[in-house]
């Protein structure tokens, strides 16, 4: 019996070419796990996504960086001061929360033109219960949320069941809800909001120790989630990002959170050397963070979230796959209106009052602009909850920076409108690029 090692399969070369050894199944080394990408392959994969039109949040991040540099150069003594950063975050909260709700609607390629005035109407319900009804804050907030559910269910039923276009339904509600708010508050009236808990959301600050604790817990929690996910993917032999990139991502998030806590915990009193300490993380910041975590989990980690993306990508294909398209359509309007109610409560806290025109004016335009600028597609099927945060920061930075420069009001509208148009153009071009590359 021959003990010679068998030669590999040989493919006969074409005339004039070299002989090539083709390994057989027995020659393959299965002990080498090639499912973890290298840093180079991960970077190359990201560049391929960019070239094929999958830009994600990159335009919003670059735009925010340009705005920060621009306003810092013009107002270096005030723009990045601890006091102004805290003010900017508080300014961004109502628009960010409203945009977070609109993202669910936009993912289906729908629109909710009534979201802004819905936030005002819900805030009016809360304020009337606090002042005229003598209710405590919990009952008033719950009533505002229930009002949001009712508004969203009404819109969703007309869109999903009656099949009226969302543009028409929400345009009618845009007018009708302003009438309801006017009836509740009265022409030229104002309902003050003095409840300590409601007032604290946008006007009070966490103790320094609690701000540091929350930031540290968020860092540890985020790191644990990312590392455990990588470990599970490794144990199951699944494709995964290189550990080095996971570690870099965790470090960057830690720097952002701990750096933000450090800046916000600085003494922002007019005389920092005096006995009075004025600083801390605004209470509204963890509220936005909790809403972001919940919305991100719902969209990225639940069956419902997968159904939302499926309906937004192709409603007919989703229906044939067994998804209840009408229920999904109705639900996103409910979610959007509930988050609009929360946005109205935060806005009422910031202004210490509710007026008949609360949520009207530019509120809706800023929220839609925040969602689109952050990276959510107007054509449906693409978007994340984090887009609302990025876009909200862009909108607030424009308003805040132009205010520090003492610019005329018309510039605010022109610059914000220009950013929205640019974001929509990038979205349309990216969509064409994805279609051309079959993505």
């Amino acid at each position: 019996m021959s003990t010679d090692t068998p030669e590999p399969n040989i493919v006969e070369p074409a005339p004039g070419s070299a002989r090539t050894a083709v390994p057989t199944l027995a020659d393959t080394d299965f002990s080498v796990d090639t499912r973890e990408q290298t840093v180079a392959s991960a970077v190359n994969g990201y560049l391929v996504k960019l070239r094929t039109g999958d830009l994600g949040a990159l335009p919003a991040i670059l735009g925010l960086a340009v705005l920060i540099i621009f306003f810092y150069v013009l107002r270096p003594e005030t723009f990045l001061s601890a006091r102004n950063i805290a003010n900017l975050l508080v300014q961004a909260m109502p628009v960010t929360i409203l945009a977070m709700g609109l993202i669910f609607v936009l993912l289906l390629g729908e629109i909710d033109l009534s979201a802004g005035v819905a936030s005002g109407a819900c805030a009016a319900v809360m304020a009337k219960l606090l002042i005229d009804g003598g209710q405590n804050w919990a009952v008033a907030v719950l009533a505002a949320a229930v009002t949001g559910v009712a508004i969203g269910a009404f819109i969703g039923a007309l869109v999903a069941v009656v099949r009226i276009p969302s543009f028409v339904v929400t345009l009618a509600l845009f007018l009708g809800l302003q009438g309801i708010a006017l009836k509740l508050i009265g022409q030229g009236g104002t309902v003050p909001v003095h409840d300590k808990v409601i007032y604290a959301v946008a006007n009070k600050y966490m103790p320094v120790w609690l701000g540091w604790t929350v930031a540290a817990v968020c860092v540890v929690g985020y790191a644990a989630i990312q590392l455990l996910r990588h470990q599970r993917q490794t144990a199951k032999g699944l494709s995964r990002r290189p550990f080095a990139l996971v570690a870099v991502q965790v470090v960057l998030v830690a720097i952002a959170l701990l750096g933000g806590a450090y800046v916000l915990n600085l003494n922002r009193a007019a005389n920092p050397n005096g006995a009075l300490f004025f600083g801390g993380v605004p209470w509204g910041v963890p509220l936005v963070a909790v809403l972001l975590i919940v919305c991100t989990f719902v969209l990225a980690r639940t069956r419902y979230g997968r159904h939302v993306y499926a309906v937004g990508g192709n409603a007919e294909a989703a229906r044939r796959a067994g998804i209840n398209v009408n229920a999904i359509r109705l639900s996103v309007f409910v979610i959007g209106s509930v988050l609009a109610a929360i946005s109205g409560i935060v806005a009422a806290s910031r202004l210490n009052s509710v007026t008949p025109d609360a949520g009207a004016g530019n509120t809706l335009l800023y929220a839609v602009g925040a969602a689109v600028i952050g990276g959510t597609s107007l054509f449906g099927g693409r978007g994340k909850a984090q887009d609302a945060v990025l876009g909200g920061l862009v909108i607030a930075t424009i308003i805040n920076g132009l205010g520090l420069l003492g610019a005329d009001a018309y510039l605010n509208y022109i610059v914000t409108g220009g950013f929205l148009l640019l974001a929509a153009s990038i979205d349309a071009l990216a969509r064409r690029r994805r279609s051309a590359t079959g993505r």
Side-chain angles (χ1 to χ4, degrees):
M1 179 182 294
S2 174
T3 59
D4 294 339
T5 303
E7 293 184 1
N9 293 341
I10 302 299
V11 176
E12 289 299 327
S17 63
R19 293 169 63 89
T20 305
V22 178
T24 64
L25 188 63
D27 301 317
T28 306
D29 183 6
F30 288 101
S31 64
V32 179
D33 185 1
T34 60
R35 286 178 286 273
E36 179 166 359
Q37 298 175 310
T38 64
V39 174
S41 65
V43 172
N44 183 64
Y46 180 69
L47 294 177
V48 169
K49 288 175 62 178
L50 293 181
R51 287 195 296 268
T52 55
D54 190 0
L55 302 179
L58 182 61
I61 294 173
L62 293 178
L64 183 61
V66 169
L67 287 171
I68 291 173
I69 294 171
F70 176 76
F71 288 123
Y72 176 71
V73 170
L74 295 180
R75 286 291 183 270
E77 68 283 355
T78 55
F79 181 69
L80 289 183
S81 65
R83 178 187 292 270
N84 191 59
I85 290 176
N87 290 338
L88 191 152
L89 292 177
V90 172
Q91 282 180 300
M93 287 191 297
V95 170
T96 298
I97 296 172
L98 187 59
M100 213 174 291
L102 282 172
I103 283 173
F104 282 82
V105 178
L106 292 174
L107 281 173
L108 264 60
E110 304 284 357
I111 189 64
D112 186 356
L113 300 177
S114 67
V117 293
S119 71
C122 294
V125 170
M126 177 198 70
K128 293 294 285 186
L129 286 174
L130 288 173
I131 301 301
D132 297 343
Q135 301 293 330
N136 62 33
W137 70 270
V139 173
V141 167
L142 179 61
V146 171
T147 303
V149 171
I151 293 171
F154 180 70
I155 296 172
L158 292 178
V159 173
V161 180
V162 186
R163 303 294 179 90
I164 304 175
S166 59
F167 180 88
V168 176
V169 174
T170 57
L171 180 59
L173 267 290
F174 173 79
L175 300 173
L177 290 174
Q178 290 184 75
I180 292 175
L182 184 61
K183 175 63 177 177
L184 289 173
I185 298 176
Q187 182 71 39
T190 299
V191 180
V193 178
H194 297 313
D195 183 87
K196 292 182 179 179
V197 175
I198 301 298
Y199 176 81
V201 172
N203 296 286
K204 293 294 184 178
Y205 306 95
M206 303 169 68
V208 172
W209 67 268
L210 184 57
W212 278 113
T213 301
V214 170
V217 169
C218 289
V219 170
V220 172
Y222 181 80
I225 291 172
Q226 296 300 322
L227 296 177
L228 286 174
R229 180 186 301 171
H230 188 273
Q231 184 182 28
R232 286 197 301 267
Q233 290 172 339
T234 302
K236 294 179 180 180
L238 301 175
S239 176
R240 58 197 177 274
R241 293 179 300 163
F243 181 80
L245 288 185
V246 175
V248 168
Q249 185 175 343
V250 170
V251 170
L252 290 177
V253 170
I255 291 174
L257 292 176
L258 297 177
Y262 170 77
V263 171
L264 293 173
N265 284 325
L266 293 174
N267 189 0
R268 302 192 292 273
N271 180 14
N273 297 321
L276 178 65
F277 178 82
F278 175 67
V281 178
W283 280 105
V285 171
L287 171 63
V288 174
V290 169
L291 292 175
L292 174 63
I293 292 170
V294 171
C295 291
T296 300
F297 177 80
V298 168
L299 287 175
R301 298 292 171 188
T302 66
R303 187 166 139 188
Y304 170 79
R306 292 191 293 272
H307 288 181
V308 169
Y309 283 110
V311 174
N314 190 320
E316 180 59 23
R319 185 189 66 79
R320 294 186 179 186
I323 296 174
N324 190 334
V325 174
N326 287 344
I328 295 295
R329 280 205 176 100
L330 191 150
S331 66
V332 296
F333 284 102
V334 172
I335 292 172
S337 294
V338 170
L339 286 171
I342 298 174
S343 171
I345 294 169
V346 174
S349 170
R350 180 170 174 254
L351 300 174
N352 301 328
S353 63
V354 180
T355 60
D357 61 349
N362 299 315
T363 304
L364 174 71
L365 299 179
Y366 285 153
V368 174
V372 176
I373 289 171
T376 297
S377 175
L378 287 169
F379 303 98
R382 285 182 177 268
K384 298 179 181 178
Q386 69 183 30
D387 298 343
V389 177
L390 289 172
L393 288 175
V394 170
I395 297 291
T397 299
I398 293 172
I399 298 172
N400 181 278
L402 291 177
L404 292 177
L405 294 176
D408 293 332
Y410 75 90
L411 277 177
N412 192 350
Y413 296 118
I414 292 175
V415 174
T416 306
F419 261 83
L420 175 56
L421 182 61
L422 178 62
S425 300
I426 292 174
D427 177 34
L429 293 174
R431 183 170 178 265
R432 289 175 56 187
R433 180 63 179 167
R434 289 193 300 269
S435 299
T437 55
R439 287 179 174 255

